Amino acid sequence: MSAARRAGLGLCGLFGFLVLIELLPRTGLVPSAYFPPTSRIAVALWDQVLQGSFWSALGDTLIAWGLGLLIAVAGGVVAGVLLALVPWLRRFTASTVEFLRPIPSVALIPLAVLLYGTQIGSTLLLVVYAAFWQVLVQVLYGVGDIDPVAEETARSYRLGTWARIRYLLWPTGLPYLMTGIRLAAAVALILAITAELVIGAPGLGVRIAVAQSSQAVPQMYALIAVTGLLGLGINLGARAAERRLLSWHQSVRGEAVV
Amino acid sequence: MGRVMRRILVNVMWALTLPALLIAAWWLVSDDSTSIYSPPLRTILRTFGPTWDGDRLTHDVVPSLLRLTAGYLLAAVAGIGLGLLVGLHAQLRATLEPVLEFLRALPPPVLVPIIMLFAGIGDTMKLIVIASGCLWPVLLNTVEGVRAVDQVMIETARSYRLPAPARLRHLVLPAASPQIFAGLRQALSIGIILMVISEMFAASNGLGFAIVDFQRSFAIPEMWSGILLLGLLGFVLSMLFQLVERRALAWYHGLRASRRAS
């Protein structure tokens, strides 16, 4: 299938989806009190866009997301490289990592409330905890993937620690790191919105909660659509960054041919 | 025999030393803590037993787990089924891709207020929330997995005139299963998040409800014991999942190991 045809079909699908949401409540198949038609959601969205408080809420969400992701990535990379360079350390911490990783970060919600209340700290705690493991685990996978021949060659040439990081660890680990960042970015958004929705930390989540409790249903749908677009933008941006940064790598070059 | 035993012993030592050290450090540092937010570990562990007794297990833990199981299984069946359908039809896939990408990008917790509108705050709401959050990772990973099935094998199966159900059962499903399991793993952690969130938002029972209730009434040691229980639950579920995955994908891991060795 050609790219143009694919794009055309995709647009048709998107258009059909919007028409479906418009028609279902209009024809009375679903109650319009609960499912407002597309046009009313669009009007509500336009309303939001004109308000300054919408943009500051969006800014709050993005700051909490970005800052949390940054801390998680920095921490994950430093911890991962450290564990990679010191073999006994990795063995020493393996069981602890395996235990801490699956702990759902929402379990920390009550703790975050007690520590930070409705401040941005609550959001950061959840975001960093959830995103850190995604990065760390991918970095560890990446380090485990180092070619033994390359490793031995580096040893024979007596490369120092920095040279080993630069020429051995970095090129092998980068694709894994990018995967980790992509996954972490998506998880970080989920947790940022969750913290705002449940705890009341500033951001889009709070606006959704307020719209819900004041029965402003179209506004609620509009805000939820914004979070979806945000998530979509993050996914697409992360994939584009991955392709750019890894344009030399086999996985990307291989994809380009198909 | 002695050498094997010693090796196992050494491995266990490696695995247990750091957790033991961390717990000991927590115990010692918090032991004379007077802060209400971080009570001594001794107190937390002492409240753990009485807090999560039989009554609470049947009222809070079991309903939570039932909702999670039901929602997750529903999403798994629907996700794999729809994923096969979409993955096998190129036109359908191209048409639905942007919409599916958008729905997947929607942070699942925002589904809670929407679904509360028409399903109220009962068990149905929680079940739908969990199922509709877990659906997308399973669905999209199944589509990816089906798309990546070896074209030569598909054509071979066609030339041998394998009927469609047999083709699905013996070729497409096994070939896509590693990717499907990747989706199921993502869905599991989303499911746990949604289980807790939906109960924190609006509920009269459940694990998430109990923990928030403790926090609101400043029953801090009980709250900590709840956090520990939730952490333990996440760990046990992920272990169970790994067990199932290792059994179901034994052939795949074996294949990869032998390819790597050669």
Side-chain angles (χ1 to χ4, degrees):
Chain A
M1 209 182 304
S2 70
R5 192 169 151 67
R6 282 177 60 90
L9 279 175
L11 275 179
C12 283
L14 210 53
F15 187 69
F17 179 65
L18 293 177
V19 168
L20 189 73
I21 296 180
E22 176 75 30
L23 286 183
L24 280 179
R26 291 262 182 230
T27 53
L29 276 174
V30 295
S32 62
Y34 302 153
F35 293 99
T38 314
S39 51
R40 279 185 59 204
I41 299 177
V43 170
L45 183 62
W46 180 245
D47 240 31
Q48 291 287 331
V49 171
L50 294 181
Q51 289 173 30
S53 55
F54 165 77
W55 293 103
S56 68
L58 183 64
D60 283 334
T61 298
L62 282 177
I63 287 172
W65 169 80
L67 203 58
L69 186 62
L70 198 68
I71 297 172
V73 170
V77 170
V78 170
V81 170
L82 203 67
L83 292 188
L85 290 178
V86 191
W88 65 266
L89 204 59
R90 179 155 186 205
R91 202 172 163 198
F92 191 56
T93 53
S95 61
T96 311
V97 170
E98 281 308 306
F99 180 75
L100 289 177
R101 188 162 65 107
I103 292 180
S105 53
V106 283
L108 301 176
I109 286 181
L111 193 63
V113 174
L114 288 180
L115 288 177
Y116 302 106
T118 57
Q119 289 167 332
I120 190 179
S122 286
T123 315
L124 282 181
L125 180 68
L126 298 188
V127 169
V128 170
Y129 189 86
F132 172 77
W133 299 111
Q134 303 279 354
V135 180
L136 178 65
V137 167
Q138 288 297 328
V139 171
L140 287 180
Y141 280 154
V143 171
D145 195 36
I146 288 182
D147 186 359
V149 177
E151 168 105 61
E152 274 154 27
T153 312
R155 262 180 219 283
S156 325
Y157 280 119
R158 303 210 177 189
L159 291 189
T161 306
W162 282 116
R164 264 176 64 203
I165 291 181
R166 170 68 189 83
Y167 297 110
L168 200 59
L169 224 53
W170 180 251
T172 315
L174 191 62
Y176 289 90
L177 176 63
M178 290 309 294
T179 307
I181 294 178
R182 179 160 49 81
L183 295 175
V187 167
L189 182 72
I190 295 179
L191 267 301
I193 300 283
T194 303
E196 295 160 8
L197 196 65
V198 178
I199 302 176
L204 286 174
V206 170
R207 281 178 86 84
I208 296 177
V210 169
Q212 185 229 356
S213 55
S214 58
Q215 299 288 323
V217 178
Q219 278 88 327
M220 192 181 91
Y221 274 87
L223 289 165
I224 287 172
V226 171
T227 63
L229 291 175
L230 210 56
L232 195 60
I234 287 171
N235 282 350
L236 294 179
R239 267 183 236 164
E242 211 170 351
R243 261 198 304 274
R244 256 191 98 94
L245 267 173
L246 298 178
S247 51
W248 51 273
H249 193 268
Q250 203 170 13
S251 66
V252 174
R253 279 186 291 145
E255 253 176 20
V257 176
V258 173
Chain B
M1 198 61 198
R3 261 180 45 200
V4 174
M5 281 297 285
R6 188 186 294 167
R7 211 168 62 216
I8 292 175
L9 212 65
V10 167
N11 278 337
V12 169
M13 287 285 285
W14 273 103
L16 289 185
T17 311
L18 185 60
L21 282 178
L22 288 176
I23 293 172
W26 186 4
W27 183 285
L28 289 176
V29 168
S30 70
D31 205 29
D32 47 354
S33 155
T34 49
S35 153
I36 50 162
Y37 293 157
S38 52
L41 183 57
R42 188 201 299 270
T43 321
I44 297 173
L45 291 182
R46 203 185 294 140
T47 49
F48 194 93
T51 307
W52 303 103
D53 56 3
D55 197 35
R56 227 178 246 294
L57 282 182
T58 49
H59 272 102
D60 290 321
V61 181
V62 171
S64 288
L65 288 178
L66 284 180
R67 288 171 202 144
L68 177 63
T69 316
Y72 183 72
L73 288 181
L74 204 67
V77 172
I80 295 174
L82 289 173
L84 286 175
L85 188 74
V86 176
L88 287 173
H89 296 91
Q91 305 240 352
L92 191 63
R93 199 175 64 222
T95 313
L96 290 182
E97 208 158 31
V99 177
L100 291 180
E101 284 289 337
F102 173 74
L103 290 174
R104 183 204 4 209
L106 220 52
V110 302
L111 299 169
V112 180
I114 292 189
I115 293 168
M116 261 172 75
L117 277 178
F118 62 90
I121 59 168
D123 283 343
T124 326
M125 177 275 268
K126 279 147 206 145
L127 212 138
I128 300 177
V129 165
I130 294 171
S132 52
C134 294
L135 177 67
W136 309 111
V138 183
L139 174 58
L140 282 147
N141 276 289
T142 308
V143 171
E144 278 301 305
V146 170
R147 209 181 62 168
V149 176
D150 192 353
Q151 204 58 43
V152 177
M153 284 196 189
I154 289 189
E155 273 156 26
T156 312
R158 268 181 216 266
S159 342
Y160 279 108
R161 305 217 174 186
L162 229 57
R167 231 168 37 221
L168 208 63
R169 166 82 187 74
H170 296 292
L171 172 61
V172 178
L173 261 183
S177 58
Q179 188 83 36
I180 295 177
F181 267 96
L184 286 172
R185 189 169 337 110
Q186 282 175 32
L188 183 63
S189 51
I190 290 180
I192 297 176
I193 290 182
L194 288 174
M195 174 191 88
V196 176
I197 300 278
S198 65
E199 291 168 355
M200 283 180 170
F201 226 77
S204 50
N205 68 349
L207 205 46
F209 169 77
I211 293 175
V212 165
D213 201 40
F214 289 141
Q215 176 240 314
R216 288 195 182 129
S217 53
F218 281 91
I220 305 301
E222 284 81 358
M223 178 198 93
W224 271 100
S225 76
I227 294 179
L228 283 186
L229 182 66
L230 207 50
L232 223 55
L233 187 73
F235 177 70
V236 169
L237 286 178
S238 113
M239 282 286 138
L240 273 177
F241 185 88
Q242 272 182 34
L243 214 68
V244 173
E245 185 189 9
R246 208 167 293 163
R247 282 197 74 122
L249 296 183
W251 61 272
Y252 174 71
H253 292 306
L255 190 70
R256 262 181 48 154
S258 69
R259 275 203 188 139
R260 190 165 279 190
S262 65

